[in-house]
Amino acid sequence: MTHYFDHAATTPMRQVAMEAWVEHAGALNPGGQYGSGRKANSVLAQARETIASLLGAEPIEVVFTGSGTEANNLAVRGLFGASENNRVVSTLIEHPAVLETVKALAEQGAQVDYLPVTSEGFVESFDALETPAAVATCMWANNETGAIQPVEEIVQRADAHSTPVHIDAVQVAGHQPIDFGALGAATLAISPHKFGGPRGTGILLARRTPTPAPVLFGGGQERGLRSGTVDVAAAAATAAALAEAVSDMEAENVRIRKLRDELVAGVVRTVPDAVLTTREPALPGHAHFIFSGAHGDSLIMLLDALGIEASTGSACHSGVNRMSHVLEAMGVDAETGIGALRVTIGRTTTQEDVAYFLEHIGEVVERARLAGSF
Ligand code: PLP
């Protein structure tokens, strides 16, 4: 039996999403000008409407993409491409989907300024927003620490200088309320597999103006922002998953926070020198620790051998974990930061999972420390 603690990476698909997926798996081209095309298009339109209403957006603002990564790329590159301005404002704690996109723009000549973050992982100064930019981009909540960023303030500050803002809301959608209209961002990225929808699909919310310049070229589907035949079954499954996630959100967050707090208290009791990196305000399911003197890879392997599935939290390239760029931005030194372990609790986590984790974490940290931080 496995005990899954990597819900921030991906979470199991909800039954309602699987059912919607199977129901519409046979849908044909929603762009087809005949009966089966119109039928597929009406399923797609319904999914678009449901998603829009759950996120405070208009249906036309919902753009189906192939992943959260793609939604982030289309927004950041697209807003940059739509502007005469050569400046980008971002942060150094972004997920690689944004971080690497911004770096690529810098390599092409963009001037990039980063908003600084505190040692607790929160964006702290907004000075870089006082000068107009083509786009300012910031994540709503950090995927490693769970830290919730001051996105409302970022949008307000940027708006004062007519800088469009992109928000990477991949960790937030389906977990915290989102009102796209009220937020006032130009674009916002979502990844359904983080809230029980299908993997390999994404949503970009994009206001009518400023419209991002297209990055992909083709048949002009999805307002020309994401050409390619839309996956109707995935859209229907996403709508079903989001509807359930939003309706369960309040009760689920109370339950998840309780389990997380119990897990954190247990870890600190068992390993008194464990450092909890996650600070409030944070997503309720996140518990990010540093166990100095241990290597994150050892912790993960030892936990895995016991049927406990967790991660270091940083996107690992070819299976090799390095010190996370997020911890680096927070000023954690490389030797300490390599002992990171991210434990994320979600919809399927039970009290028994937490008890099992707490039963074993002490011996795991002890053994990992014997192996060293190499
Ligand atoms: N942005 C954040 C904050 C994430 O956590 C992730 C996934 O881990 C992504 C973007 C990328 O999403 P996807 O896996 O759908 O490409």
Side-chain angles (χ1 to χ4, degrees):
M1 172 158 175
T2 55
H3 302 269
Y4 186 69
F5 285 100
D6 205 14
H7 287 271
T10 197
T11 199
M13 217 162 136
R14 292 170 187 268
Q15 189 61 36
V16 285
M18 291 192 209
E19 282 163 15
W21 210 26
V22 169
E23 187 184 342
H24 300 293
L28 296 177
N29 178 14
Q33 293 165 315
Y34 35 75
S36 58
R38 282 191 296 277
K39 207 167 136 208
N41 196 38
S42 94
V43 175
L44 183 61
Q46 182 57 53
R48 199 186 300 282
E49 231 166 79
T50 303
I51 291 166
S53 75
L54 292 165
L55 299 171
E58 291 174 37
I60 195 164
E61 295 174 326
V62 177
V63 175
F64 291 105
T65 71
S67 63
T69 298
E70 190 186 312
N72 278 313
N73 271 262
L74 295 181
V76 176
R77 277 194 168 275
L79 288 172
F80 183 76
S83 171
E84 302 277 292
N85 194 310
N86 189 43
R87 214 174 145 253
V88 177
V89 178
S90 188
T91 84
L92 286 169
I93 57 169
E94 299 302 306
H95 183 276
V98 169
L99 193 72
E100 297 299 324
T101 306
V102 170
K103 273 193 205 163
L105 291 176
E107 275 160 26
Q108 287 161 24
Q111 184 209 324
V112 181
D113 290 310
Y114 294 99
L115 299 171
V117 295
T118 64
S119 59
E120 297 189 344
F122 298 100
V123 169
E124 65 166 340
S125 159
F126 306 96
D127 292 353
L129 296 169
E130 298 301 323
T131 310
V135 54
T137 175
C138 182
M139 62 195 344
W140 199 323
N142 184 265
N143 47 301
E144 295 186 30
T145 63
I148 295 176
Q149 304 302 326
V151 289
E152 290 87 356
E153 177 145 18
I154 288 171
V155 173
Q156 268 172 29
R157 299 268 186 146
D159 212 33
H161 300 277
S162 304
T163 299
V165 176
H166 170 64
I167 301 295
D168 176 358
V170 165
Q171 289 292 329
V172 166
H175 299 282
Q176 302 285 313
I178 291 182
D179 187 334
F180 182 61
L183 181 63
T187 51
L188 186 142
I190 290 173
S191 180
H193 74 95
K194 308 284 187 183
F195 55 80
R199 277 158 285 279
T201 185
I203 299 169
L204 174 67
L205 296 185
R207 254 181 14 212
R208 280 198 189 82
T209 53
T211 303
V215 173
L216 297 172
F217 296 90
Q221 292 91 338
E222 301 298 281
R223 285 168 58 198
L225 286 174
R226 207 284 186 169
S227 283
T229 306
V230 180
D231 183 343
V232 172
T238 296
L242 187 60
E244 189 175 86
V246 168
S247 102
D248 292 355
M249 191 182 285
E250 224 176 291
E252 228 357 53
N253 278 348
V254 170
R255 192 188 75 85
I256 285 172
R257 184 180 294 279
K258 192 162 166 280
L259 288 178
R260 193 270 311 267
D261 290 351
E262 215 174 292
L263 184 135
V264 167
V267 168
V268 173
R269 212 169 30 242
T270 319
V271 188
D273 63 350
V275 173
L276 177 70
T277 327
T278 299
R279 296 296 166 86
E280 295 300 328
L283 295 171
H286 267 68
H288 184 283
F289 300 98
I290 293 179
F291 299 99
S292 58
H295 196 295
D297 284 349
S298 306
L299 292 168
I300 289 164
M301 279 187 277
L302 290 161
L303 287 169
D304 185 34
L306 292 161
I308 299 170
E309 300 181 329
S311 75
T312 63
S314 63
C316 73
H317 311 275
S318 57
V320 181
N321 285 308
R322 293 189 213 100
M323 155 80 163
S324 127
H325 70 277
V326 174
L327 297 179
E328 197 181 331
M330 290 162 63
V332 177
D333 67 81
E335 207 182 315
T336 310
I338 207 70
L341 181 73
R342 180 186 71 177
V343 184
T344 49
I345 287 168
R347 198 178 87 254
T348 57
T349 312
T350 63
Q351 188 84 50
E352 289 69 37
D353 290 324
V354 172
Y356 185 83
F357 182 93
L358 292 176
E359 210 177 292
H360 294 286
I361 189 64
E363 75 196 57
V364 163
V365 173
E366 207 172 296
R367 286 178 64 195
R369 280 179 168 162
L370 283 176
S373 54
F374 43 90

